[in-house]
Amino acid sequence: MPAEPQEWVDATAAVLGAVLGEAVDGGQFPGGVLVVGQAGAGRAVAGRGVVAPECGDVRPDEHTRYDLASLTKVLATWPLVGAAVRAGRLDLDAPLRAAFPELPSPGSKLTAAQLLSHTSGILPRTGLARYEHTGRPLAEHLCAEPLVSAPGARHRYVDRGFILLGLLLPELLGRPLADLADGLWRGLGLTATAYGPLPRDARLAPTEQRLRGAPRTWGVPHDPSAALLGGVAGHAGVFSTAADLAAFAEHLLGADGPLPEWFALSRRPRTPVEPGLHRGLAWIVTADGSVAYHHGFTGTSLYLAPRTRRYVVLCSNAVYHGWDRARLAALRALALRVLLPAS
């Protein structure tokens, strides 16, 4: 790869864009958009296909809105937990009962760090519908369920931990989750990022048609648990653009400030995920610490290389024809590889 920043950005965007185009041309999903950048040095955008057949011939670009799915975890919940820690409202390593004495066991014994790092042992199956119409707060239900493993014993990626954090943050910071997140994003200049529901629009990518003959999921979260929670949850529900995600990446890769400091702490490896990869606080990190990243189920990804200040953003509606992990496997693997030191 060329050494000059803009040359690297342009060349990398071309390579990744070609792989994105192969998936789109092969009918894997309607389209998508990539942003490749180096903080302080420039960006390049590569869009392929169309937003969706429902949107006519509108082409995706960096201003097309996508359902971020689990990127909500790092775009909303994770930075807000950092704000609560900085404000002295939350101790990462103290049991939740220290701040919330009303929570039942065994969940009250868990720590925020365990929830963020997916090592809490909390029940993996989300299944929130069972708690409807009980009259009991959802946070209490989540904490009352038995654990499936000892806290800290192993990594198991689950949504419940972030759902629980999303329910607790308003009590810690004094405002509803959507208001807290909106204040965070506006402070960072992320003007197109929002919780749904959003009105259907040709610049907003629809996702999956769950039932034949039914309306396609469009402007409401693809994630059923987030939808059940009214679209605002700690694990999913946020919509954004590749441009906003690129701006967020550049904030995290900044030289100083509370968000880069929180990112530096959070990308320290805490538990192994698979050979060569660890989980920090929310983020997956390579063993050498050179790249941190997170995926969203709908077909979104954010990759950050702190040492070089390079990043890759991917936005797509890869679930348009239903979920298939293989649709994005090659592109995601390449996006990680181009940011590793050897590249």
Side-chain angles (χ1 to χ4, degrees), residues 80-212:
L80 290 173
V81 170
V85 171
R86 288 194 302 275
R89 310 281 178 85
L90 182 67
D91 183 333
L92 278 177
D93 298 310
L96 293 178
R97 65 189 175 200
F100 303 97
E102 72 281 3
L103 291 179
S105 292
S108 63
K109 300 177 183 178
L110 303 176
T111 69
Q114 289 166 346
L115 295 172
L116 288 170
S117 60
H118 298 279
T119 59
S120 65
I122 201 168
L123 197 68
R125 183 174 177 270
T126 307
L128 303 185
R130 77 182 80 171
Y131 307 129
E132 289 188 285
H133 313 302
T134 63
R136 188 182 190 187
L138 178 57
E140 293 185 14
H141 279 296
L142 298 179
C143 286
E145 293 282 9
L147 304 178
V148 297
S149 59
R154 58 165 294 186
H155 176 271
R156 182 186 283 107
Y157 184 82
V158 297
D159 286 334
R160 278 182 167 231
F162 276 78
I163 292 172
L164 179 57
L165 289 169
L167 295 169
L168 299 179
L169 280 166
E171 297 186 46
L172 290 170
L173 297 175
R175 286 189 290 160
L177 180 60
D179 291 349
L180 290 168
D182 189 67
L184 166 73
W185 300 324
R186 299 306 168 261
L188 296 174
L190 310 185
T191 57
T193 304
Y195 274 106
L198 301 176
R200 294 185 176 191
D201 184 275
R203 308 299 302 174
L204 171 65
T207 53
E208 192 172 356
Q209 184 186 41
R210 297 190 182 278
L211 298 173
R212 185 179 295 275

Side-chain angles (χ1 to χ4, degrees), residues 12 15-16 19 303 312 328-339:
T12 303
V15 169
L16 293 175
V19 178
Y303 300 84
V312 174
L328 286 175
L331 180 57
R332 283 175 163 169
L334 182 58
L336 173 59
R337 193 158 65 246
V338 298
L339 291 177

Side-chain angles (χ1 to χ4, degrees), residues 62-63 65 185-186 189-194 198 239-241 243-244:
E62 68 270 34
H63 304 299
R65 272 177 160 175
W185 300 324
R186 299 306 168 261
L190 310 185
T191 57
T193 304
L198 301 176
F239 294 80
S240 190
T241 65
D244 268 16

Side-chain angles (χ1 to χ4, degrees), residues 64-68 75 192-194 238-242 244-245 315:
T64 306
R65 272 177 160 175
Y66 285 87
D67 180 342
L68 295 187
L75 205 68
T193 304
V238 171
F239 294 80
S240 190
T241 65
D244 268 16
L245 288 174
C315 289

